């Protein structure tokens, strides 16, 4: 299952994808509640140009999450060098309000010490766990019988991976030569949906623009 990211301008759903079902809604509410024994998150510095969507606590969770999903590997740039957590914050500026709210709730649910205690017996926030314990928590989310946790893991992982591999500095490590010359047009019109007709540009299909031979199947 892929992360649900409706295009900008699309109408948000009345109920978020993750809130469907009593357990999902209860868990998201739990994640936004008081921390077990007033446990706090690890403090991290925000990016030099500030945060646009995430709170400082949510940014700390994304930072820890990125390090566990993308540990150091030879030949690959580090998550800090690419500012992956900052990239996640910027990606969230391009999605609708429902997806943003659910992502923020998921981050708080992952961080909250109370769900961590109830599901795994760990009375600590995610950011203060050891790296081994953080890996165990993520495996539990990935394989959980609770749909919200499995879907949430996929969504958060997709966000982190999108931020990381968006950087061309990662391309040599995976053998990607980059886009072919002429594919990217920096002057192409921008389309954000919202019921507005897509402007002409690369990838736009309009039947009236076809040549007669294309419509009639060509001449012998």
């Amino acid at each position: 299952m892929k992360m649900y990211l409706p295009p900008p301008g699309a109408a948000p759903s009345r109920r978020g994808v993750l809130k469907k079902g009593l357990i999902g809604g209860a868990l998201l509410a739990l994640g936004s509640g008081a921390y077990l024994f007033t446990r706090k998150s690890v403090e991290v510095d925000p990016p030099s140009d500030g945060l646009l969507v995430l709170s400082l606590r949510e940014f700390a969770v994304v930072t820890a999450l990125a390090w566990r999903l993308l540990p150091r590997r030879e030949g690959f740039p580090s998550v800090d060098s690419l500012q992956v957590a900052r990239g996640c914050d910027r990606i969230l500026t391009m999605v609708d309000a429902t997806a943003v709210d659910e992502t923020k709730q998921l981050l708080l649910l992952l961080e909250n010490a109370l769900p961590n205690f109830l599901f795994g017996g760990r009375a600590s926030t995610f950011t203060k766990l050891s790296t081994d314990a953080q890996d165990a928590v993520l495996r539990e989310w990935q394989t959980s019988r609770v749909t919200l946790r499995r879907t949430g893991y996929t969504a958060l992982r997709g966000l982190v991976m999108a931020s990381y591999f968006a950087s061309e500095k990662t391309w040599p490590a995976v053998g990607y030569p980059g886009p072919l010359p002429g594919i990217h047009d920096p002057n192409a019109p921008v389309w954000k949906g919202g019921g507005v007709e897509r402007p002409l540009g690369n990838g736009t299909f309009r039947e009236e623009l076809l040549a007669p031979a294309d419509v009639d199947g060509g001449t012998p």
Side-chain angles (χ1 to χ4, degrees):
M1 182 178 295
K2 297 182 179 179
M3 185 178 183
Y4 173 70
L5 297 177
S13 58
R14 293 182 63 187
R15 299 180 64 199
V17 174
L18 298 175
K19 291 183 180 178
K20 291 181 179 178
L22 294 176
I23 294 179
L27 283 177
L28 287 178
L30 184 64
S32 302
Y35 284 75
L36 178 66
F37 306 135
T38 65
R39 303 292 173 130
K40 296 183 179 180
S41 304
V42 169
E43 294 184 2
V44 298
D45 294 327
S48 58
D49 53 352
L51 294 168
L52 303 181
V53 176
L54 299 174
S55 69
L56 192 56
R57 173 172 287 159
E58 293 158 354
F59 182 74
V61 181
V62 171
T63 301
L65 181 64
W67 270 114
R68 301 321 311 145
L69 293 175
L70 293 163
R72 290 187 183 276
R73 285 182 61 187
E74 185 177 354
F76 285 79
S78 70
V79 295
D80 282 350
S81 67
L82 299 184
Q83 299 187 72
V84 170
R86 175 190 177 278
C88 292
D89 178 70
R90 270 42 180 183
I91 288 174
L92 290 174
T93 66
M94 298 183 286
V95 302
D96 72 72
T98 300
V100 170
D101 288 345
E102 289 184 342
T103 300
K104 291 162 74 72
Q105 288 176 309
L106 280 173
L107 291 171
L108 292 179
L109 179 62
L110 177 65
E111 175 70 347
N112 198 308
L114 181 54
N116 286 341
F117 178 76
L118 293 177
F119 284 100
R122 306 176 187 89
S124 176
T125 57
F126 180 79
T127 54
K128 289 193 173 183
L129 292 172
S130 68
T131 55
D132 288 343
Q134 288 177 341
D135 289 341
V137 170
L138 293 178
R139 283 194 298 271
E140 290 169 5
W141 275 58
Q142 183 181 21
T143 60
S144 176
R145 288 184 291 181
V146 179
T147 302
L148 171 69
R149 299 181 91 204
R150 294 197 313 273
T151 306
Y153 171 84
T154 302
L156 294 178
R157 182 180 184 277
L159 176 64
V160 170
M161 294 299 174
S163 175
Y164 183 76
F165 287 105
S167 172
E168 61 185 45
K169 294 180 180 179
T170 65
W171 298 350
V174 296
Y176 176 55
L180 295 174
I183 292 296
H184 174 64
D185 180 5
N187 299 315
V190 177
W191 179 66
K192 295 186 177 181
V196 179
E197 187 176 10
R198 188 184 186 105
L200 292 177
N202 289 340
T204 304
F205 174 79
R206 294 279 182 82
E207 185 174 351
E208 62 268 22
L209 298 180
L210 295 177
D214 296 325
V215 177
D216 299 333
T219 56

